[in-house]
Amino acid sequence: MPPAPQRRTAPAAAVLAAVLLPALTACGGSTDSGAGSPAVSGPASAPGAAHLTVLAASSLTDVFKTAGAAYEKARPGTRVTFSFAGSQELAAQVRQGAPADVLVTADTRTMDGLAAETGSPSVIARNRLVIATGKGNPFKIGGLKDLADSKVKVVLAAPEVPVGRYSRRILDAQQVRVAPVSEEPNVRAVLAKVELGEADAGLVYQTDAAKSADKVATVDIPDGQNAVASYPAAALRQSRNAAAAAAFTAWLSGPEAQKIFRDAGFQKP
């Protein structure tokens, strides 16, 4: 029998620390806020000069670093700092009042659950799932049904994570029964398990797999069997930089940001 799934949980103190002091990553060298130092939104300021903190889904890590650098370059004096995590973790941070200005999740369900804390969201990009396998695809996986093979160690994101819900939706639709060797807190953790050889296959977003093409092989999932992930963005009502937060959120739907998303492999909203 395949090993029972291993759920990753953190001690309560660590979870509370993650909520109150999120590990923030600056988008460029000149905007580094310092290792380990929490970023706090400053006083209200104009859209052209502000320090914005953006909570964003893990699958946006690479594209948002590029987008943030472009936004800062066109707006001297503006700093954009990102905190990346699974959408469910970001939602917990918002509910706990973590200092931030903009939220971008990997599904509309999570964003809809925060309607009282956000402005009107807009979908800025879409994504699709693929099967990531070990380099060279040693088990010759050709589709979803091959993941049911008991010899194949499959890793999935946890069911409360958007990519985890998408994964189970498409597996259930094809009546594929998978006993994952572990359930991870975000898509990057799923991909890392495959990269390290701790799992033979995992369901991840197309854009994440493309970034690791030198470490994993990718098996496409036909449109009729796939799920489309939507990324809504919204300014947070708790932002102390309301005008700047609204301006950045609007920019994400504009032509400059949309080109950056398309170049990274995301689909149009």
Side-chain angles (χ1 to χ4, degrees):
M1 293 182 61
Q6 300 172 0
R7 296 296 301 272
R8 291 195 168 188
T9 58
V15 171
L16 182 59
V19 168
L20 298 179
L21 296 174
L24 301 172
T25 304
C27 64
S30 63
T31 63
D32 194 340
S33 58
S37 60
V40 179
S41 301
S45 56
H51 181 188
L52 290 174
T53 298
V54 179
L55 306 179
S58 296
S59 50
L60 295 168
T61 299
D62 297 307
V63 70
F64 259 12
K65 288 180 180 179
T66 301
Y71 192 78
E72 289 180 341
K73 184 177 181 180
R75 294 158 184 80
T78 295
R79 297 176 63 197
V80 185
T81 299
F82 296 103
S83 178
F84 298 105
S87 295
Q88 79 290 350
E89 296 179 39
L90 301 178
Q93 292 181 25
V94 171
R95 293 189 179 100
Q96 291 292 329
D101 304 290
V102 175
L103 172 68
V104 188
T105 62
D107 66 335
T108 55
R109 173 176 166 178
T110 300
M111 184 67 77
D112 290 346
L114 296 168
E117 286 85 10
T118 69
S120 298
S122 298
V123 173
I124 60 171
R126 298 188 192 278
N127 214 339
R128 288 181 176 273
L129 271 65
V130 297
I131 303 170
T133 75
K135 194 165 179 62
N137 194 0
F139 284 86
K140 306 303 178 187
I141 294 170
L144 292 173
K145 293 189 180 299
D146 294 332
L147 299 181
D149 188 337
S150 60
K151 297 178 182 178
V152 178
K153 294 185 295 183
V154 179
V155 62
L156 299 175
E160 60 268 22
V161 185
V163 70
R165 287 199 300 273
Y166 295 136
S167 298
R168 285 162 180 78
R169 182 189 306 168
I170 65 176
L171 289 170
D172 289 346
Q174 298 303 310
Q175 298 183 346
V176 177
R177 301 292 176 257
V178 172
V181 294
S182 70
E183 296 179 330
E184 301 300 318
N186 57 63
V187 68
R188 288 303 180 99
V190 173
L191 189 61
K193 285 279 188 178
V194 180
E195 290 176 345
L196 295 171
E198 296 177 14
D200 304 314
L203 288 171
V204 301
Y205 293 122
Q206 177 182 353
T207 52
D208 290 287
K211 278 289 183 180
S212 294
D214 59 332
K215 299 177 181 178
V216 300
T218 298
V219 179
D220 291 331
I221 301 171
D223 289 348
Q225 300 177 10
N226 215 329
V228 178
S230 296
Y231 293 83
L236 292 170
R237 296 187 188 280
Q238 67 195 32
S239 171
R240 298 175 63 187
N241 300 285
F248 180 74
T249 303
W251 178 82
L252 291 173
S253 295
E256 183 180 6
Q258 287 299 302
K259 184 180 185 304
I260 293 172
F261 283 120
R262 289 196 300 274
D263 290 346
F266 288 85
Q267 299 177 340
K268 292 181 180 180

